[in-house]
PDB file of all heavy atoms in Angstrom:
ATOM      1  N   ARG A  21     115.722  43.706 129.720  1.00 98.00           N
ATOM      2  CA  ARG A  21     117.091  44.151 129.967  1.00 98.00           C
ATOM      3  C   ARG A  21     117.053  45.492 130.652  1.00 98.00           C
ATOM      4  O   ARG A  21     116.057  46.200 130.697  1.00 98.00           O
ATOM      5  CB  ARG A  21     117.905  44.209 128.662  1.00 98.00           C
ATOM      6  CG  ARG A  21     117.359  45.169 127.622  1.00 98.00           C
ATOM      7  CD  ARG A  21     118.141  45.088 126.324  1.00 98.00           C
ATOM      8  NE  ARG A  21     117.905  43.756 125.691  1.00 98.00           N
ATOM      9  CZ  ARG A  21     118.147  43.496 124.417  1.00 98.00           C
ATOM     10  NH1 ARG A  21     118.654  44.468 123.677  1.00 98.00           N
ATOM     11  NH2 ARG A  21     117.938  42.339 123.937  1.00 98.00           N
ATOM     12  N   PRO A  22     118.213  45.869 131.267  1.00 98.00           N
ATOM     13  CA  PRO A  22     118.267  47.138 131.978  1.00 98.00           C
ATOM     14  C   PRO A  22     118.297  48.329 130.987  1.00 98.00           C
ATOM     15  O   PRO A  22     118.884  48.228 129.888  1.00 98.00           O
ATOM     16  CB  PRO A  22     119.543  47.116 132.781  1.00 98.00           C
ATOM     17  CG  PRO A  22     120.374  45.974 132.178  1.00 98.00           C
ATOM     18  CD  PRO A  22     119.420  45.069 131.442  1.00 98.00           C
ATOM     19  N   VAL A  23     117.654  49.361 131.397  1.00 97.00           N
ATOM     20  CA  VAL A  23     117.557  50.621 130.626  1.00 97.00           C
ATOM     21  C   VAL A  23     117.927  51.766 131.540  1.00 97.00           C
ATOM     22  O   VAL A  23     117.473  51.854 132.672  1.00 97.00           O
ATOM     23  CB  VAL A  23     116.123  50.880 130.049  1.00 97.00           C
ATOM     24  CG1 VAL A  23     116.047  52.169 129.288  1.00 97.00           C
ATOM     25  CG2 VAL A  23     115.761  49.625 129.116  1.00 97.00           C
ATOM     26  N   ASP A  24     118.698  52.759 131.038  1.00 97.00           N
ATOM     27  CA  ASP A  24     119.055  53.906 131.811  1.00 97.00           C
ATOM     28  C   ASP A  24     117.854  54.853 131.924  1.00 97.00           C
ATOM     29  O   ASP A  24     117.325  55.235 130.873  1.00 97.00           O
ATOM     30  CB  ASP A  24     120.292  54.660 131.153  1.00 97.00           C
ATOM     31  CG  ASP A  24     121.599  53.894 131.264  1.00 97.00           C
ATOM     32  OD1 ASP A  24     121.696  53.077 132.235  1.00 97.00           O
ATOM     33  OD2 ASP A  24     122.417  54.069 130.431  1.00 97.00           O
ATOM     34  N   THR A  25     117.511  55.256 133.136  1.00 97.00           N
ATOM     35  CA  THR A  25     116.337  56.106 133.307  1.00 97.00           C
ATOM     36  C   THR A  25     116.633  57.542 132.855  1.00 97.00           C
ATOM     37  O   THR A  25     115.625  58.299 132.648  1.00 97.00           O
ATOM     38  CB  THR A  25     115.906  56.126 134.813  1.00 97.00           C
ATOM     39  OG1 THR A  25     117.019  56.621 135.562  1.00 97.00           O
ATOM     40  CG2 THR A  25     115.418  54.853 135.250  1.00 97.00           C
ATOM     41  N   ILE A  26     117.831  57.947 132.621  1.00 96.00           N
ATOM     42  CA  ILE A  26     118.207  59.243 132.128  1.00 96.00           C
ATOM     43  C   ILE A  26     117.561  59.519 130.798  1.00 96.00           C
ATOM     44  O   ILE A  26     117.324  60.623 130.423  1.00 96.00           O
ATOM     45  CB  ILE A  26     119.727  59.501 132.092  1.00 96.00           C
ATOM     46  CG1 ILE A  26     120.069  60.953 132.060  1.00 96.00           C
ATOM     47  CG2 ILE A  26     120.386  58.805 130.958  1.00 96.00           C
ATOM     48  CD1 ILE A  26     121.507  61.343 132.358  1.00 96.00           C
ATOM     49  N   LEU A  27     117.248  58.435 130.043  1.00 93.00           N
ATOM     50  CA  LEU A  27     116.598  58.589 128.721  1.00 93.00           C
ATOM     51  C   LEU A  27     115.190  59.108 128.881  1.00 93.00           C
ATOM     52  O   LEU A  27     114.614  59.641 127.933  1.00 93.00           O
ATOM     53  CB  LEU A  27     116.538  57.249 128.047  1.00 93.00           C
ATOM     54  CG  LEU A  27     117.891  56.502 127.766  1.00 93.00           C
ATOM     55  CD1 LEU A  27     117.663  55.103 127.255  1.00 93.00           C
ATOM     56  CD2 LEU A  27     118.596  57.313 126.658  1.00 93.00           C
ATOM     57  N   GLN A  28     114.543  58.941 130.043  1.00 96.00           N
ATOM     58  CA  GLN A  28     113.164  59.349 130.325  1.00 96.00           C
ATOM     59  C   GLN A  28     112.110  58.592 129.596  1.00 96.00           C
ATOM     60  O   GLN A  28     111.120  58.108 130.118  1.00 96.00           O
ATOM     61  CB  GLN A  28     112.976  60.875 130.135  1.00 96.00           C
ATOM     62  CG  GLN A  28     113.826  61.729 131.053  1.00 96.00           C
ATOM     63  CD  GLN A  28     113.634  63.175 130.859  1.00 96.00           C
ATOM     64  OE1 GLN A  28     113.256  63.639 129.782  1.00 96.00           O
ATOM     65  NE2 GLN A  28     113.917  63.983 131.899  1.00 96.00           N
ATOM     66  N   VAL A  29     112.280  58.472 128.312  1.00 96.00           N
ATOM     67  CA  VAL A  29     111.378  57.655 127.441  1.00 96.00           C
ATOM     68  C   VAL A  29     112.265  56.819 126.534  1.00 96.00           C
ATOM     69  O   VAL A  29     113.194  57.274 125.974  1.00 96.00           O
ATOM     70  CB  VAL A  29     110.442  58.599 126.572  1.00 96.00           C
ATOM     71  CG1 VAL A  29     109.686  57.710 125.575  1.00 96.00           C
ATOM     72  CG2 VAL A  29     109.541  59.356 127.516  1.00 96.00           C
ATOM     73  N   SER A  30     111.907  55.561 126.369  1.00 96.00           N
ATOM     74  CA  SER A  30     112.619  54.648 125.537  1.00 96.00           C
ATOM     75  C   SER A  30     111.581  54.065 124.485  1.00 96.00           C
ATOM     76  O   SER A  30     110.516  53.698 124.866  1.00 96.00           O
ATOM     77  CB  SER A  30     113.267  53.534 126.343  1.00 96.00           C
ATOM     78  OG  SER A  30     114.100  52.727 125.505  1.00 96.00           O
ATOM     79  N   MET A  31     111.981  54.091 123.252  1.00 96.00           N
ATOM     80  CA  MET A  31     111.216  53.500 122.185  1.00 96.00           C
ATOM     81  C   MET A  31     111.837  52.087 121.919  1.00 96.00           C
ATOM     82  O   MET A  31     112.975  52.025 121.456  1.00 96.00           O
ATOM     83  CB  MET A  31     111.166  54.351 120.935  1.00 96.00           C
ATOM     84  CG  MET A  31     110.572  55.743 121.155  1.00 96.00           C
ATOM     85  SD  MET A  31     108.786  55.639 121.609  1.00 96.00           S
ATOM     86  CE  MET A  31     108.106  55.179 120.078  1.00 96.00           C
ATOM     87  N   ILE A  32     111.049  51.071 122.151  1.00 96.00           N
ATOM     88  CA  ILE A  32     111.616  49.742 122.067  1.00 96.00           C
ATOM     89  C   ILE A  32     110.855  48.959 121.042  1.00 96.00           C
ATOM     90  O   ILE A  32     109.624  48.876 121.043  1.00 96.00           O
ATOM     91  CB  ILE A  32     111.568  49.032 123.449  1.00 96.00           C
ATOM     92  CG1 ILE A  32     112.395  49.759 124.412  1.00 96.00           C
ATOM     93  CG2 ILE A  32     111.975  47.536 123.250  1.00 96.00           C
ATOM     94  CD1 ILE A  32     112.329  49.189 125.832  1.00 96.00           C
ATOM     95  N   PRO A  33     111.524  48.411 119.960  1.00 95.00           N
ATOM     96  CA  PRO A  33     110.770  47.649 118.917  1.00 95.00           C
ATOM     97  C   PRO A  33     110.405  46.270 119.369  1.00 95.00           C
ATOM     98  O   PRO A  33     111.208  45.587 119.950  1.00 95.00           O
ATOM     99  CB  PRO A  33     111.803  47.609 117.778  1.00 95.00           C
ATOM    100  CG  PRO A  33     113.166  47.679 118.442  1.00 95.00           C
ATOM    101  CD  PRO A  33     112.963  48.556 119.714  1.00 95.00           C
ATOM    102  N   VAL A  34     109.164  45.991 119.143  1.00 96.00           N
ATOM    103  CA  VAL A  34     108.655  44.651 119.375  1.00 96.00           C
ATOM    104  C   VAL A  34     107.918  44.204 118.143  1.00 96.00           C
ATOM    105  O   VAL A  34     107.666  44.966 117.254  1.00 96.00           O
ATOM    106  CB  VAL A  34     107.703  44.562 120.607  1.00 96.00           C
ATOM    107  CG1 VAL A  34     108.464  44.934 121.903  1.00 96.00           C
ATOM    108  CG2 VAL A  34     106.512  45.448 120.445  1.00 96.00           C
ATOM    109  N   TYR A  35     107.684  42.880 118.067  1.00 95.00           N
ATOM    110  CA  TYR A  35     107.062  42.411 116.802  1.00 95.00           C
ATOM    111  C   TYR A  35     105.861  41.509 117.142  1.00 95.00           C
ATOM    112  O   TYR A  35     105.735  40.944 118.221  1.00 95.00           O
ATOM    113  CB  TYR A  35     108.090  41.637 115.986  1.00 95.00           C
ATOM    114  CG  TYR A  35     108.759  40.500 116.613  1.00 95.00           C
ATOM    115  CD1 TYR A  35     108.195  39.224 116.561  1.00 95.00           C
ATOM    116  CD2 TYR A  35     109.956  40.631 117.275  1.00 95.00           C
ATOM    117  CE1 TYR A  35     108.794  38.171 117.213  1.00 95.00           C
ATOM    118  CE2 TYR A  35     110.557  39.623 117.939  1.00 95.00           C
ATOM    119  CZ  TYR A  35     109.970  38.344 117.851  1.00 95.00           C
ATOM    120  OH  TYR A  35     110.554  37.324 118.539  1.00 95.00           O
ATOM    121  N   GLY A  36     104.976  41.333 116.188  1.00 94.00           N
ATOM    122  CA  GLY A  36     103.853  40.480 116.308  1.00 94.00           C
ATOM    123  C   GLY A  36     102.998  40.566 115.007  1.00 94.00           C
ATOM    124  O   GLY A  36     103.377  41.173 114.035  1.00 94.00           O
ATOM    125  N   ASN A  37     101.856  39.876 115.111  1.00 92.00           N
ATOM    126  CA  ASN A  37     100.939  39.896 113.959  1.00 92.00           C
ATOM    127  C   ASN A  37      99.543  40.175 114.553  1.00 92.00           C
ATOM    128  O   ASN A  37      99.208  39.641 115.572  1.00 92.00           O
ATOM    129  CB  ASN A  37     100.889  38.565 113.208  1.00 92.00           C
ATOM    130  CG  ASN A  37     102.250  38.343 112.418  1.00 92.00           C
ATOM    131  OD1 ASN A  37     103.071  37.547 112.803  1.00 92.00           O
ATOM    132  ND2 ASN A  37     102.410  39.090 111.404  1.00 92.00           N
ATOM    133  N   GLY A  38      98.757  40.934 113.771  1.00 93.00           N
ATOM    134  CA  GLY A  38      97.418  41.243 114.251  1.00 93.00           C
ATOM    135  C   GLY A  38      97.411  42.116 115.478  1.00 93.00           C
ATOM    136  O   GLY A  38      98.382  42.860 115.737  1.00 93.00           O
ATOM    137  N   VAL A  39      96.320  42.079 116.228  1.00 95.00           N
ATOM    138  CA  VAL A  39      96.199  42.902 117.449  1.00 95.00           C
ATOM    139  C   VAL A  39      96.715  42.046 118.631  1.00 95.00           C
ATOM    140  O   VAL A  39      96.232  40.955 118.881  1.00 95.00           O
ATOM    141  CB  VAL A  39      94.788  43.314 117.603  1.00 95.00           C
ATOM    142  CG1 VAL A  39      94.599  44.102 118.964  1.00 95.00           C
ATOM    143  CG2 VAL A  39      94.229  44.094 116.420  1.00 95.00           C
ATOM    144  N   GLN A  40      97.678  42.646 119.341  1.00 96.00           N
ATOM    145  CA  GLN A  40      98.243  41.938 120.518  1.00 96.00           C
ATOM    146  C   GLN A  40      98.189  42.864 121.726  1.00 96.00           C
ATOM    147  O   GLN A  40      98.267  44.056 121.609  1.00 96.00           O
ATOM    148  CB  GLN A  40      99.708  41.605 120.234  1.00 96.00           C
ATOM    149  CG  GLN A  40      99.908  40.682 119.026  1.00 96.00           C
ATOM    150  CD  GLN A  40      99.634  39.260 119.391  1.00 96.00           C
ATOM    151  OE1 GLN A  40      99.455  38.837 120.503  1.00 96.00           O
ATOM    152  NE2 GLN A  40      99.566  38.408 118.323  1.00 96.00           N
ATOM    153  N   GLU A  41      98.124  42.184 122.889  1.00 97.00           N
ATOM    154  CA  GLU A  41      98.261  42.955 124.137  1.00 97.00           C
ATOM    155  C   GLU A  41      99.762  43.060 124.458  1.00 97.00           C
ATOM    156  O   GLU A  41     100.436  42.038 124.516  1.00 97.00           O
ATOM    157  CB  GLU A  41      97.561  42.276 125.261  1.00 97.00           C
ATOM    158  CG  GLU A  41      97.516  43.099 126.568  1.00 97.00           C
ATOM    159  CD  GLU A  41      96.712  42.402 127.680  1.00 97.00           C
ATOM    160  OE1 GLU A  41      97.263  41.486 128.280  1.00 97.00           O
ATOM    161  OE2 GLU A  41      95.554  42.794 127.871  1.00 97.00           O
ATOM    162  N   VAL A  42     100.178  44.209 124.691  1.00 98.00           N
ATOM    163  CA  VAL A  42     101.580  44.491 125.049  1.00 98.00           C
ATOM    164  C   VAL A  42     101.660  44.954 126.480  1.00 98.00           C
ATOM    165  O   VAL A  42     101.075  45.967 126.843  1.00 98.00           O
ATOM    166  CB  VAL A  42     102.202  45.543 124.077  1.00 98.00           C
ATOM    167  CG1 VAL A  42     103.688  45.891 124.536  1.00 98.00           C
ATOM    168  CG2 VAL A  42     102.228  45.023 122.687  1.00 98.00           C
ATOM    169  N   GLN A  43     102.430  44.285 127.283  1.00 98.00           N
ATOM    170  CA  GLN A  43     102.477  44.576 128.719  1.00 98.00           C
ATOM    171  C   GLN A  43     103.973  44.997 129.026  1.00 98.00           C
ATOM    172  O   GLN A  43     104.903  44.385 128.594  1.00 98.00           O
ATOM    173  CB  GLN A  43     102.208  43.379 129.634  1.00 98.00           C
ATOM    174  CG  GLN A  43     100.770  42.893 129.508  1.00 98.00           C
ATOM    175  CD  GLN A  43     100.563  41.617 130.182  1.00 98.00           C
ATOM    176  OE1 GLN A  43     101.139  40.630 129.818  1.00 98.00           O
ATOM    177  NE2 GLN A  43      99.728  41.604 131.188  1.00 98.00           N
ATOM    178  N   ILE A  44     104.060  46.142 129.713  1.00 98.00           N
ATOM    179  CA  ILE A  44     105.397  46.695 130.087  1.00 98.00           C
ATOM    180  C   ILE A  44     105.575  46.606 131.560  1.00 98.00           C
ATOM    181  O   ILE A  44     104.745  47.079 132.360  1.00 98.00           O
ATOM    182  CB  ILE A  44     105.522  48.114 129.620  1.00 98.00           C
ATOM    183  CG1 ILE A  44     105.334  48.251 128.066  1.00 98.00           C
ATOM    184  CG2 ILE A  44     106.857  48.796 130.078  1.00 98.00           C
ATOM    185  CD1 ILE A  44     105.162  49.628 127.583  1.00 98.00           C
ATOM    186  N   TYR A  45     106.645  45.920 132.009  1.00 98.00           N
ATOM    187  CA  TYR A  45     107.016  45.837 133.352  1.00 98.00           C
ATOM    188  C   TYR A  45     108.326  46.588 133.627  1.00 98.00           C
ATOM    189  O   TYR A  45     109.297  46.521 132.819  1.00 98.00           O
ATOM    190  CB  TYR A  45     107.258  44.350 133.789  1.00 98.00           C
ATOM    191  CG  TYR A  45     106.039  43.512 133.854  1.00 98.00           C
ATOM    192  CD1 TYR A  45     105.551  42.951 132.673  1.00 98.00           C
ATOM    193  CD2 TYR A  45     105.444  43.221 135.013  1.00 98.00           C
ATOM    194  CE1 TYR A  45     104.399  42.132 132.674  1.00 98.00           C
ATOM    195  CE2 TYR A  45     104.284  42.363 135.046  1.00 98.00           C
ATOM    196  CZ  TYR A  45     103.758  41.877 133.874  1.00 98.00           C
ATOM    197  OH  TYR A  45     102.699  41.073 133.924  1.00 98.00           O
TER     198      TYR A  45
END
């Protein structure tokens, strides 16, 4: 989804189990 860049940094909750690779586009 779109995010306002004025935030500079966004903390986004994601979920999973164990060790996962998280990719940010």
